[in-house]
Amino acid sequence: MAAAGPRRSVRGAACRQLLLTLVIFSLAGEACKKVILDVPSKLEADKIIGRVNLEECFRSADLIQSSDPDFRVLSDGSVYTARAVVLSDEKRSFTIWLSDKRKQKQKEVTVLLEHQKKVLKTRHTRETVLRRAKRRWAPIPCSMQENSLGPFPLFLQQVESDAAQNYTVFYSISGRGVDQEPLNLFYIERDTGNLFCTQPVDREEYDVFDLIAYASTADGYSADLPLPLPIRVEDENDNHPVFTEAIYNFEVSESSRLGTTVGVVCATDRDEPDTMHTRLKYSILQQTPRSPGLFSVHPSTGVITTVSHYLDREVVDKYSLIMKVQDMDGQFFGLIGTSTCIITVTDSNDNAPTFRQNAYEAFVEENAFNVEILRIPVEDKDLINTANWRVNFTILKGNENGHFKISTDKETNEGVLCVVKPLNYEENHQVNLEIGVNNEAPFTRDIPRVTALNRALVTVHVRDLDEGPECTPAAQYVRIKENLAVGSKINGYKAYDPETRNGNGLRYKKLHDPKGWITIDEISGSIITSKILDREVETPKNELYNITVLAIDKDNRSCTGTLAVDIEDVNDNPPEILQEYVVICKPKMGYTDILAVDPDEPVHGAPFYFSLPNTSPEISRLWSLTKVNDTAARLSYQKNAGFQEYTIPITVKDRAGQAATKLLRVNLCECTHPAQCRVTSRSAGVVLGKWAILAILLGIALLFSVLLTLVCGVFGATKGKRFPEDLAQQNLIISNTEAPGDDRVCSANGFMTQTANNSSQGFCGTMGSGMKNGGQETIEMMKGGNQTLESCRGAGHHHTLDSCRGGHTEVDNCRYTYSEWHSFTQPRLGEKLHRCNQNEDHVPSQDYVLTYNYEGRGSPAGSVGCCSEKQEEDNLDFLNNLEPKFITLAEACTKR
């Protein structure tokens, strides 16, 4: 099917899509002989009709020519029409000449253009759709002018199907502009296929209409497939370019260099893009103020830049530009749009502050401080209340002693000169200052920051005043050795009168003395020691001892100062051991460390030397000292040391020979941790009040009085009687064994043991030597120590029941019969024994009087009961080498 109608120019891309495909036969050996191109019968000028693969034919060809002037061939093989061509015959051919001038070679390519018409087969009644020919129907691209003036309806083109040659075909269309909005803009004649437009079209609203054409027979069968029929609306320059903003606001610094970008203006055009209708050009129509021209705009991008460095905010702070944009690339017939651009010149620090005058004078009284003496105004043309306008003042010269300070008043931008440190008229009558000024913001132009205009001289005159004494310096130092004799005189604090420059006529008083160690001479200010100075009393020791002194002149004007006394140390303190009491758990702990300190300075302190002075042989044998470091020693015990508390003297000496000895209590205890022994010691200790002690003493006195009466009566009745000879053999016997079977035994310390009340509880007592004081005799009982039980007083008589260890019994002047002695002592001693064998809760004690089994003969050890004599004179070293059968007994007694 072919389409006929008006031919309008279309773009190359649309034409290439609608032309038939180029067919190249690239068979081997025939690539350079013939190329067949299938083309329509009518060809427009400057349109591509196909492409020939020249590289396969002659790759090195540098000259390409066509034998037919109606066609031209490009270097890539594209074949274009040089003018409009109508193919009258079905075939037309021409030759392409390929030449290589360097190699002097030439080849030819024959191009055959074919235009054939295919006829459809006769339709059978059974066929629901007419069969298509080999080629499809296709229209030539169609377009219409935007805002066309008519006449309407406007003929666009004719659509024709090849099936119309054999059948009666009816045409119809659909799509936007027909049965979609905008409705009824296009219609097609049913019989002829002529396509019409009914009214003008705005391209900015509809740029293309994609219609679908249909061809059908009278009986309703489709003659061919639906045909897409695009109708393009050709653009007309009917829209003015418009700026994106009516008024643009930009800022530029007055110190900007040439070419600085100020801002960018932009315009839009609704016409077709990438055409002359939308090619815009920018320009500046007018600048206000007019002269000089300071800005330019790039014609294509709309970028506004500076073209002069004469921007000065202090002269002109705002510019107004009338911007123009024109389409058609700025040609005179192009459409125009305008906008306003406001450019504000921002301030830069391009003006230095200046003083209004070069010299100033000010007056101040001496000793005045924190007072304002002068205000210095300055001028600056930059924008007020900005960093470019605010200033900083600096004292360049004359303030080496720090008497002055200058600041800026933020409201007035003035310099405020103040005296912050008192001036002394006697030292300087006037002071010359040089003041400089600059802005807070850095300067932007290349000129010196400090010129003759931003410096000023200030002369400050000091007025004299009659003033009191001066304590200068406020703190004066003196060095005194500690332990200096009372009444020693040392130079003290010195003040002076600023008018006379000496201290004549001044009086001194002591305001504060922490320890009251010194007094001060009222006239000379010298200090006198009133007490012994002790450096170690001061806390901390290395600080100075400060004394506050008051100096007064004749007019009672005064000043205060500090006399700092550095107390020089002497070696007046020996080292001191820190511990008083230590616990050593045997055998877990083999030693304990002894620490010492010296309150004197280090030159008189460590290293310390520890030693055991001339002590008892037992201490020297069981204990030893070794050095740990300069301030500590290690106290160790021998393995044979017994469990008890030892009092060990230890001497410690410093490097200068100052020494001290301390008695250290060392508890050698069977424990795993020292705290266990301390708890045991505390629980064993019993503290009695004064009333309890008094009650005990009264009870003992009463008991003594009763016993005295009884003993004296018995003594008078039996005077002259003697004990039987066998009495000693029955009651006081010598035995080296503890064999059972006899209820009367003698313990290892020689005291008699008697069974009482048929119980397992025993009695152990001593009838001691008795003090020969008026015939007093004493019967004693032991429970870990000696306790007086009873006494009797006989006139001029003394009796002794000594130890049985010697194998004899002494009875002076009188003897008792066994029955008399037994009847007198047995009930009373049994009762006392029963009471002593109970603890505080009246529960029988587990270890008071014990009965032991037979241990064999020859044992060197005595009894291990509670009544054993603890301070036996015999040597106990044999306990360290017991026979195996006694080791278990020794361990059991030790644990108890």
Side-chain angles (χ1 to χ4, degrees), residues 636-835:
S636 306
Y637 61 88
Q638 300 299 324
K639 292 184 178 180
N640 58 354
F643 294 107
Q644 69 179 57
E645 182 176 309
Y646 297 87
T647 302
I648 304 175
I650 299 177
T651 300
V652 58
K653 180 171 60 175
D654 62 19
R655 66 169 63 184
Q658 189 76 259
T661 301
K662 184 171 185 176
L663 295 178
L664 180 66
R665 294 168 52 220
V666 180
N667 187 0
L668 187 60
C669 179
E670 182 184 15
C671 57
T672 58
H673 191 276
Q676 297 175 346
C677 281
R678 295 192 182 99
V679 172
T680 304
S681 299
R682 286 195 295 267
S683 62
V686 178
V687 179
L688 298 177
K690 59 183 181 178
W691 296 109
I693 296 174
L694 181 59
I696 292 173
L697 294 177
L698 291 176
I700 293 174
L702 181 60
L703 180 62
F704 277 160
S705 63
V706 174
L707 290 178
L708 180 61
T709 303
L710 294 176
V711 171
C712 290
V714 174
F715 178 78
T718 60
K719 186 175 182 181
K721 295 183 179 181
R722 301 181 62 90
F723 285 106
E725 294 297 331
D726 62 346
L727 177 63
Q729 300 299 323
Q730 296 178 3
N731 295 277
L732 301 176
I733 63 176
I734 299 174
S735 175
N736 290 332
T737 67
E738 295 178 353
D742 191 354
D743 60 348
R744 291 180 299 275
V745 297
C746 187
S747 65
N749 52 6
F751 297 148
M752 181 188 68
T753 302
Q754 175 69 38
T755 303
N757 294 332
N758 297 325
S759 67
S760 61
Q761 298 172 349
F763 164 78
C764 183
T766 300
M767 299 184 67
S769 60
M771 292 181 296
K772 296 180 180 181
N773 186 5
Q776 179 184 11
E777 72 176 353
T778 304
I779 298 175
E780 296 180 346
M781 181 183 68
M782 293 182 59
K783 181 182 180 182
N786 295 332
Q787 297 181 358
T788 300
L789 177 64
E790 295 179 2
S791 64
C792 66
R793 186 177 301 273
H797 297 283
H798 175 71
H799 308 280
T800 301
L801 181 62
D802 203 353
S803 170
C804 65
R805 182 173 302 176
H808 65 276
T809 303
E810 295 181 4
V811 181
D812 291 340
N813 300 328
C814 67
R815 290 185 179 271
Y816 299 99
T817 63
Y818 173 76
S819 60
E820 292 175 341
W821 182 84
H822 187 272
S823 62
F824 170 73
T825 59
Q826 186 68 24
R828 293 166 177 78
L829 292 179
E831 180 182 359
K832 288 302 244 180
L833 181 63
H834 177 70
R835 293 180 180 178

Side-chain angles (χ1 to χ4, degrees), residues 477-478 538 540-547 563-567:
Y477 299 87
V478 64
E538 278 294 278
K541 301 179 181 61
N542 294 327
E543 286 193 357
L544 299 174
Y545 182 74
N546 295 324
I547 302 169
L563 183 63
V565 180
D566 184 7
I567 302 177

Side-chain angles (χ1 to χ4, degrees), residues 340-361:
T340 301
C341 180
I342 305 299
I343 300 176
T344 302
V345 181
T346 60
D347 185 47
S348 296
N349 190 19
D350 57 346
N351 294 280
T354 59
F355 290 102
R356 294 182 182 178
Q357 59 190 62
N358 295 329
Y360 299 87
E361 283 188 335

